[in-house]
Amino acid sequence: MKFTAFERAKQGTGASRRLRITGRTPAIVYGGTDPVQLIELDHNALWHDLKKEAFHATVLEMTIDGKSSNVLVRDVQPHPYKPLILHVDFQRVDANTKLSMKVPLHYSGQETSPAVKTENCLVNVVVTDLIVSCLPADLPEFIAVDLSGLKKGHSLHLNDITLPTGVTVQTRGKVNPVLVSVVALAEEVPDPAAAAAPAGKGGKAGAKPAAKPAAKK
């Protein structure tokens, strides 16, 4: 995915405030052997790019003055309540250096799984993304996970899925974390007391008999 940035000459709170008034967003690029670079972005273009999943989870091609370089989005600072992006941090990418990146999981097939279709279970997604380690060329935009084989009494763990070539997952101490759990839905059990109650007047079970009229004197 590509985007265009522009050189930024001034820094500081005042300069950034004036920049935002003109419809630009201040940003920086860091990493590698080059010094931190001050840049600015068109806010409207940035706003729409941030709505795309690929902008957050893939290596981006940034163009400045006709020169291209590969970067990752590392931090986005939104305004507390306005639809405004205050600042963005990008990190340079070295093709020969492994990187760590959060990658979303795309689940599919749960509706056709035996657990949902015939076994009256609910599929509960526990993990929506994974932190992966890989070379930039191997970084996936997302990891597809097929849930069509889920069955009652079985959960899906990390070791149950196939990772893209060259990709490993950072589990942060968890050996084989659960990604998706299968929960059996409670079935309605008839009330034995209500079923055994004798039918009253009108054929309704459990109905009280009509009161006898008072005797005339």
Side-chain angles (χ1 to χ4, degrees):
M1 186 172 176
K2 300 179 180 181
F3 72 98
T4 301
F6 308 90
E7 291 279 1
R8 174 163 60 101
K10 298 181 180 180
Q11 59 179 321
T13 303
S16 295
R17 187 184 300 113
R18 290 189 293 271
L19 193 63
R20 296 185 190 104
I21 293 174
T22 65
R24 297 292 182 97
T25 300
I28 62 170
V29 183
Y30 66 87
T33 56
D34 295 330
V36 174
Q37 185 178 17
L38 302 177
I39 62 171
E40 58 187 68
L41 308 167
D42 179 81
H43 183 271
N44 288 339
L46 174 65
W47 182 263
H48 290 292
D49 284 341
L50 287 172
K51 294 180 180 180
K52 302 172 184 176
E53 187 178 70
F55 195 76
H56 301 268
T58 59
V59 176
L60 306 173
E61 184 180 340
M62 179 183 68
T63 302
I64 301 178
D65 295 333
K67 297 180 180 179
S68 296
S69 58
N70 292 331
V71 297
L72 294 171
V73 175
R74 281 308 190 188
D75 185 64
V76 178
Q77 183 183 353
H79 192 278
Y81 56 87
K82 294 181 181 179
L84 181 68
I85 304 301
L86 300 178
H87 195 274
V88 184
D89 289 358
F90 295 96
Q91 180 183 359
R92 297 184 185 94
V93 171
D94 181 0
N96 300 315
T97 302
K98 283 190 174 184
L99 52 83
S100 296
M101 194 73 178
K102 185 182 291 186
V103 174
L105 297 174
H106 285 189
Y107 295 105
S108 64
Q110 55 263 47
E111 298 85 358
T112 60
S113 66
V116 173
K117 199 169 183 180
T118 61
E119 297 173 337
N120 194 33
C121 293
L122 178 68
V123 174
N124 180 35
V125 174
V126 179
V127 176
T128 58
D129 51 56
L130 296 170
I131 298 178
V132 305
S133 177
C134 62
L135 291 173
D138 296 328
L139 180 66
E141 181 178 338
F142 60 87
I143 297 174
V145 181
D146 181 15
L147 301 180
S148 61
L150 283 180
K151 295 181 180 180
K152 184 177 180 179
H154 297 275
S155 298
L156 185 77
H157 291 74
L158 176 61
N159 290 349
D160 297 325
I161 69 173
T162 301
L163 297 173
T165 303
V167 174
T168 58
V169 174
Q170 299 177 9
T171 57
R172 295 183 175 179
K174 296 181 180 180
V175 178
N176 188 24
V178 174
L179 305 181
V180 176
S181 63
V182 177
V183 182
L185 297 176
E187 298 181 2
E188 292 187 4
V189 179
D191 186 352
K201 188 177 180 180
K204 293 183 179 180
K208 294 182 179 180
K212 294 182 179 179
K216 292 182 180 180
K217 292 183 179 179

